[in-house]
Amino acid sequence: MSRIRILSEHLANQIAAGEVVERPASVVKELVENSLDAGATRITVQVEGAGARLVRVMDNGEGMDADDVLLCIERHATSKLHEEGQLEAIATLGFRGEAIPSIGSVSRMTILSRQKDAAMGTRAEIRYGTLQRVHEDGCGRGTVIEVRNLFGNMPARKKFLKSARTEVYHIEEVLRNQALARPETGFSLQVDGRQVLDHPAGSDLEQRTRDVFRYRDTLLPLAGAPEPGDGLHMDGFLLLPDAVPASGARLRILVNGRPVQDRMIRHAVVDGMQGFLMKGRQPAGVLRLTLEPGQVDVNVHPAKREIRFRRSGQVHAFVRAMVADSIAAHQETLRSELFAVPAGRGEPPGPETGRAATAAGTAYPSSSGGGRQTTVPPPGQDTRPPVSRFREAAGPAGAGGRDDFPEPGLLRVAEPGATSADVTRGSGLVLIGQLFELYLLCEKDNHLVVIDQHAAHERILYGRLRQGYLQRSVPRQGLLFPVSVELGPEQARTLEQNLEEVRALGLEVEHFGGSTWLVKAVPAPLRSLDAGDILLEVLEGLRSAGGRDRVVAPAMDSLLASMACKAAVKAGNRLQPEEMLRLLQEMEESEVFSHCPHGRPVIRRFDRQEIEKWFHRT
């Protein structure tokens, strides 16, 4: 007798339920997707006992007649596929026709449905896969499906459910994802009679994003023109990279209206936000990707949570570019808000105006205290103070940096008793002073602006080094006396294999003999650092890159960021007012200035109303 047998229909449904129905949230997902495919504009979900006791999904979709109600409980019965060719271009959320029979095999299920023009609806009752009764019943247009005592016939499976809070959380996540995918549709969730979620119909994506994430700060819009040929299009919103994580704040990916989990798209978003995300932080927001159905395979996961792109490389590059463009646009908006001259303050002074305004010099509070004042001489005189660590690290004239300070009148320090209108002529940013020998305090309109001097200078140096490396033009500072460095065999091998990359970074190195190498020039922005330390760090970065002939971008970015961090002005460095002004001007002129290379924010702003609340003035 043959040992191979065909499974019974009931057992096959239970096995399918193990793939489709992992927990109560899986039931909610499958039933809500059916409601959306039926054209519902309002979906209400009611849950009791964390979904194990009851899941009820009600919609106002097109409904079913008596024949369809009976057919929908049959395995692989569907209204969404009619021929084999449609499987390669799925445009609906459901298509396999296995969700309802699978759910019905592990629960007590009731289906009540009525079409728009029908006088009566149809009620069907299924008990653990067996149809009990079917009869006419009165109901509104649409469909109501009740799932009671989930896994009641599989007690071992029921034991694997998590706590009530965890199961309800997963149900909420299903509805949040669908609410973002369909902002025009209303969604409501009631848990044990208590309203938990309520997203009214007709919202736009921005408002729905704010509601779902409970986020009121600035959103970064994502928008990309359709790619020719594949109809590739993207929209959505990202939360600010340094925003305090909101409740449920994570990246939600929607492809052709389907919530999915996709590592490739997530990687593209992270790649596009390079330099703006701190280590350990993840991007948050919603990303809606639309493309031709034939360009994506949605039938690679039992629960349809994962997908596969036909041209994954093109999709990755497209998403990365759109995210990077959004970050760049936000950077320019922030630059305008921070440095632009406020309306009504007059035009920036010309050369004559600037000289006239400072002919007698400008008095600054002394950084050493004691009530003394430091006077900035008028133009034409040597304005350079004694060489400081900040000045040395900033770079030489003609090499991405300056040996002179900004022209007086471009950025001004507030004089004692002066108003903002008195000192703000060429920039809307007014320098107040230094706090804790780490932060620059500035005023802009009705905001207090706090700037991390180390993070700001680190970003400026990193930008110069990176641009110079990409253009193979990092400015060099020749050393009066070459510095000898002893290298081990592996370090020497790394240097010989990557000599071109070492030179591209602005280092000039020659073999002296044996294990000794001479450093004759260093990158000009890093000339305040020890030449030997620079070489050793570069070699370590090249070695960690895998010894490739061409260093990969992430490894090089990490190396450049590390070099900039070591050379930047540190916490505890007291800056002269002129140095603070120069740093502010360098920030204004930098392509990127709001975050250090490691993703830490450079700037925090506090509006006047917020400050007045601190002191109970409002």
Side-chain angles (χ1 to χ4, degrees), residues 133-147:
R133 65 174 66 89
V134 180
H135 57 86
E136 286 189 335
D137 202 345
C139 63
R141 175 198 172 185
T143 302
V144 179
I145 298 184
E146 291 183 356
V147 177

Side-chain angles (χ1 to χ4, degrees), residues 1 8 12 17 84-85 108 115 130 145 149 160 309 361 452 498 511 534 538 562 566 582 592:
M1 182 179 292
S8 67
E84 183 178 340
R108 296 166 52 193
Q115 292 182 317
T130 303
I145 298 184
N149 198 18
F160 281 91
F309 293 98
D452 185 322
N498 298 276
H511 189 210
I534 296 176
V538 167
S562 177
K566 287 180 169 60
R582 180 178 177 184
V592 177

Side-chain angles (χ1 to χ4, degrees), residues 410-431:
L410 291 178
L411 287 164
R412 306 279 297 280
V413 179
E415 300 180 37
T419 65
S420 296
D422 295 329
V423 297
T424 305
R425 296 289 292 170
S427 170
L429 197 62
V430 182
L431 177 63

Side-chain angles (χ1 to χ4, degrees), residues 217-232:
D217 208 336
T218 302
L219 286 171
L220 306 183
L222 299 171
E227 286 283 301
D230 295 334
L232 188 59

Side-chain angles (χ1 to χ4, degrees), residues 376-411:
V376 177
Q381 298 183 22
D382 188 357
T383 62
R384 293 174 293 178
V387 175
S388 67
R389 178 182 179 82
F390 175 85
R391 295 292 310 283
E392 291 184 355
R402 292 186 178 86
D403 276 343
D404 60 331
F405 289 110
E407 276 290 323
L410 291 178
L411 287 164

